[in-house]
Amino acid sequence: MTAAVIFTKKEWLESWRTHRFLILTVVFLIFGILSPLMAKLLPALLKGGLGGVKIAVPTPTSLDSWTQYYKNMTQMGIYVFALMLGGYVSQEIQQGTLVNLVTKGLPRWSVIIGKAFVGLLLWFWCVGSAFVMTWAYTAYYFPDTRSPHVVLAFVPLVIFGFFFLSVLVLGSILASNNYGGLLFTVVVVALLYMARMVKGWQHFNPISLISDNMKILVGADALTKLWPAMVTAVVLALGLFWAAIKVLDQKKL
Amino acid sequence: MTCANFEELDNMNANWEVFTTYWPFLVPLIILELGLMLAAVIQVLRHPHYRIGNRAFWLVIVIFIQIIGPIAYFVFGREDQQ
Amino acid sequence: MSILTLQHVSKSFGSKHVLRDLNLTVPTGSIYGFVGENGAGKTTTMKLILGLDRADSGDIEVAGEQVRFGETATNRQTGYLPDVPAFYGYMTATEYLRMCGQLTGLRGTALASRVTAMLKRVGLASASHRIGGFSRGMRQRLGIAQALLTMPKLLICDEPTSALDPQGRTEFLDLLASLRGQTTILFSTHILSDVERICDHVGILHQGRLQVSASLADLKQQYAKPQVRLTFETAVQAKQAATLLMPLQHHNHVQQVTQSAGEVAVAYAGIYAAAADRILTALLAVRLVPLTFSQEEANLDQIFMEVVQ
């Protein structure tokens, strides 16, 4: 176990020194501020765009702000995250940086454990800091009571990150180059979106974790409906990490 | 004054109005974006080798395309040092 | 006693047989030169010994312990210097060695003093900047530092000198030679003079098999004969000389005559003066005068050429 701790420390240092942590933080903070701003500006932009034609544009509420937040997180945030972690495992194998460590007695599984742990921390930090930003601005600029379950709506997003990360790590290890892992991830997510068409599967589809957040925001019981999807996501993620370990075990270093 | 000038003035006023209304959003946004850009510019200048492109190319990308530009550099342009 | 044995090891990539039924034994305490052309399978052999790649068949034992692919148990005994060692560019040399040391179970002051001692030994004590800015030679030295950090019983170096300049090579070979008696070294190379400088045992890998494995002294005695090398002004003259000397082969000191372009090499046995006398007498009888006439001791190049033919 100590080897895993040592490797995790190394992962953390890597994220810090290669500025991965810093860049992700800044980008997600920007997303966090942008979400309420977009909600605020959208009516004005609509008015301006229609060239003075008077139509009834409703005043934005906290719901619009949170809608923007989840849009930004799920349509931009996860892909920026995926880009920054694209070569997460493949690079180590390509460049041969694992050779010295493995011949010093580092068990291969601890590579995956360390990467998963630091990746998850990064994800939580990223969506979390954006969340806090959006929350603060929303509370100040849209002081209404339309969004009662702010934190509950956020929970599925974090769990989805765990699943997303496992796909990214497995993809990165299967691919022989940096972008193959990215492609794998995008394909998996696209397939999951397509699987939403199948009615009976919806409650189990991990993608529901990032598409039903607004429902939870207004009514807490929507979260209970997501239980199957959360369990599926976590079980799948554990399975994918296990698969990643098995694949790495068979890799020539 | 011509009509065009009036419009310009009007635009400027509008921009200023937008800024006074939304400065609590805009100031941190601008600081973050500038920070990201500066970090990328420093990296571009410090490391003479790039995976693709050259220094001038990346400087233009990083400075003129907000957010996406610096990310693109950090993901595709920065050479990994072993 | 042997620290490393490979028995009937085979490995192929696709249809290409890299190693065919390889048997290799490295005696404890030796500096073993593992020689072969580029692509002969030296790196593959080493990766198999370290459990980094899977052998198709055969047994590998390090210090009496079986090597298994993907497992690291036997790596406790070994230190490995890859041909191009890869590090994390964002760490300093000290940080990197500390991490390596921690992986092997070193802690506290023992770790700190070992790291400092190693850095000093390889001449990187004053390099405080990050590895990303290191030169090729510095990386190679950091590579040997990480390989020696655990004071392994067996040190495996893959082509350690090929990337270095002459001065770096000399320094590196001196460093390896200074380890004689402390650790067994298996080191691969295609530079034969390096082997002659520090190795006491040699194995020649060719076409996936170990063609020769013996102590350097035995090998010289067994294979190479001292030579007289003559050069002539024209190839025609050389050919003439060769035809003249051919009949002398296999008796009266002269062993073997070979000719290429303007050069004739005559392998001899016994006393030099006697052999030289025979050759010169024969040549002068027909007034065939060589441009140069020199005597050469047996060297590894000859042996290598002979084995590889």
Side-chain angles (χ1 to χ4, degrees), chain C residues 32-296:
Chain C
Y32 193 100
F34 192 39
V35 183
E37 314 107 310
N38 289 327
K42 301 184 298 265
T43 301
T44 305
T45 309
M46 295 185 156
K47 296 225 153 169
L48 294 180
I49 296 169
L50 291 154
L52 294 175
D53 201 352
R54 189 198 297 274
D56 295 340
S57 61
D59 283 320
I60 303 173
E61 274 183 18
V62 174
E65 233 182 308
Q66 182 105 21
V67 175
R68 283 190 186 82
F69 168 68
E71 285 182 20
T72 50
T74 47
N75 287 338
R76 285 195 312 271
Q77 319 286 347
T78 53
Y80 175 49
L81 173 62
D83 48 354
V84 184
F87 306 104
Y88 298 109
Y90 51 83
M91 287 187 183
T92 65
T94 312
E95 284 169 342
Y96 191 82
L97 289 185
R98 282 190 65 91
M99 179 178 69
C100 289
Q102 283 171 351
L103 281 176
T104 61
L106 282 170
R107 291 288 181 280
T109 47
L111 174 65
S113 60
R114 186 79 65 83
V115 167
T116 332
M118 268 306 150
L119 285 172
K120 211 176 208 169
R121 177 156 204 177
V122 298
L124 287 175
S126 58
S128 56
H129 57 283
R130 293 185 186 170
I131 301 170
F134 275 23
S135 69
R136 201 102 194 241
M138 288 168 89
R139 280 163 194 255
Q140 206 72 20
R141 278 184 275 160
L142 181 57
I144 190 81
Q146 63 84 24
L148 287 174
L149 192 66
T150 53
M151 306 185 165
K153 285 186 195 155
L154 174 65
L155 175 66
I156 299 176
C157 305
D158 192 1
E159 301 260 355
T161 51
S162 53
L164 301 177
D165 57 25
Q167 196 202 338
R169 259 173 66 195
T170 307
E171 281 172 15
F172 190 87
L173 291 174
D174 287 347
L175 182 65
L176 283 192
S178 75
L179 296 168
R180 198 188 299 274
Q182 295 171 36
T183 178
T184 310
I185 302 173
L186 171 69
F187 107 93
S188 78
T189 183
H190 60 267
I191 304 168
L192 294 168
S193 61
D194 287 355
V195 175
E196 278 188 289
R197 256 154 90 174
I198 65 161
C199 291
D200 41 45
H201 281 72
V202 187
I204 298 177
L205 187 66
H206 182 61
Q207 290 179 335
R209 286 198 186 85
L210 204 61
Q211 307 287 349
V212 169
S213 177
S215 77
L216 193 60
D218 285 351
L219 206 58
K220 280 191 172 169
Q221 207 155 32
Q222 193 186 336
Y223 276 89
K225 303 144 201 115
Q227 281 187 334
V228 170
R229 195 173 283 274
L230 307 105
T231 52
F232 292 91
E233 210 162 353
T234 63
V236 184
Q237 283 182 339
K239 189 145 189 144
Q240 212 181 333
T243 9
L244 197 65
L245 294 171
M246 283 293 184
L248 298 177
Q249 270 188 101
H250 302 300
H251 57 89
N252 295 330
H253 305 300
V254 177
Q255 294 282 314
Q256 197 182 9
V257 181
T258 45
Q259 180 249 334
S260 66
E263 225 179 58
V264 177
V266 184
Y268 68 91
I271 307 155
Y272 164 71
D277 186 85
R278 296 272 331 169
I279 295 165
L280 284 175
T281 317
L283 290 181
L284 289 175
V286 292
R287 299 206 162 257
L288 204 57
V289 183
L291 281 179
T292 66
F293 185 94
S294 60
Q295 188 262 354
E296 272 177 19

Side-chain angles (χ1 to χ4, degrees), chain A residues 113-134:
Chain A
I113 298 293
K115 299 237 173 221
F117 186 71
V118 173
L120 197 63
L121 273 186
L122 277 178
W123 174 256
F124 186 69
W125 169 257
C126 287
V127 290
S129 50
F131 175 80
V132 169
M133 275 293 157
T134 304

Side-chain angles (χ1 to χ4, degrees), chain A residues 159-224:
Chain A
I159 293 174
F160 182 79
F162 183 54
F163 167 75
F164 187 73
L165 189 69
S166 69
V167 177
L168 196 62
V169 166
L170 181 63
S172 182
I173 209 164
L174 285 174
S176 46
N177 61 60
N178 291 355
Y179 307 118
L182 223 55
L183 191 71
F184 179 80
T185 309
V186 171
V187 168
V188 168
V189 170
L191 284 177
L192 287 177
Y193 268 114
M194 268 152 74
R196 264 169 71 81
M197 312 262 204
V198 187
K199 273 262 154 63
W201 296 2
Q202 259 190 23
H203 290 308
F204 295 94
N205 194 335
I207 215 78
S208 301
L209 297 178
I210 56 167
S211 33
D212 292 351
N213 307 73
M214 290 309 291
K215 285 186 208 158
I216 304 170
L217 191 62
V218 289
D221 48 331
L223 185 67
T224 44

Side-chain angles (χ1 to χ4, degrees), chain A residues 14 17 92 95 104 250, chain C residues 54 86 88 90 95 146:
Chain A
E14 177 170 312
R17 294 240 174 117
E92 298 248 18
Q95 298 179 347
K104 290 276 175 318
Q250 299 304 315
Chain C
R54 189 198 297 274
Y88 298 109
Y90 51 83
E95 284 169 342
Q146 63 84 24

